[in-house]
Amino acid sequence: MRPKCPPRTGAGGRKLWAAIVDTYELSEHELQVLREAVRTVDQIDRLQAIVQEDGDMQQSPQGRRVHPAVVELRQQRVVLARLLAALKIPDTETAAPAAPVRGVYQIRGA
C-alpha cells in the first residue's frame, strides 16, 4: 500500500513525495525523514514567494540589508540537502557510482 502524503502538503512537497514513494519502498524511519523533507520543501516554496514579492534586500535603520527570508531560505536548503542525503536515494540519472558516505572509511591494504 502506498503511504499517504502528509496533510496540508503543498505542490512542491507532493511532487517530492510522489517521486520517492512511487519509486521506492521506505521503512517507517525513512518515511519520517521524507515527511520532514516534504515539509522543508514547502517551507522553501513559501520563503521563495516572500523573497520574490519583497526582493532580496530590505531597508533598515542601518542601511540596506539582506532580507531575513533569504537567510532562512539558505538554511532550509541546507536542511533539505541533509534530509535527502539521509534517505540515500540512488541517483539513477548518472552512471557514475555514488561516492562513499562521509564517515565511512574503507580498510587500507585489504
Side-chain angles (χ1 to χ4, degrees), residues 90-96:
D91 182 5
T92 58
E93 293 183 12
T94 62

Side-chain angles (χ1 to χ4, degrees), residues 2-92:
R2 180 179 187 238
K4 290 186 179 182
C5 190
R8 297 181 302 279
T9 301
R14 283 192 308 271
K15 185 176 177 182
L16 174 63
W17 182 269
I20 294 178
V21 299
D22 288 350
T23 308
Y24 301 100
E25 193 170 312
L26 303 177
S27 65
E28 186 54 42
H29 76 278
E30 291 169 324
L31 284 170
Q32 186 57 41
V33 173
L34 179 58
R35 286 182 196 103
E36 291 305 317
V38 163
R39 290 180 184 110
T40 303
V41 166
D42 288 344
Q43 181 67 34
I44 288 169
D45 290 345
R46 287 189 296 272
L47 289 166
Q48 188 63 50
I50 291 168
V51 171
Q52 297 245 190
E53 185 175 318
D54 295 351
D56 293 350
M57 304 295 287
Q58 281 190 327
Q59 196 61 37
S60 76
Q62 294 80 25
R64 290 187 52 78
R65 302 271 179 162
V66 174
H67 194 297
V70 172
V71 176
E72 185 60 27
L73 187 55
R74 180 187 61 214
Q75 292 172 340
Q76 291 298 311
R77 286 176 175 153
V78 170
V79 168
L80 179 60
R82 289 181 179 169
L83 288 167
L84 293 176
L87 285 174
K88 298 180 184 168
I89 302 293
D91 182 5
T92 58

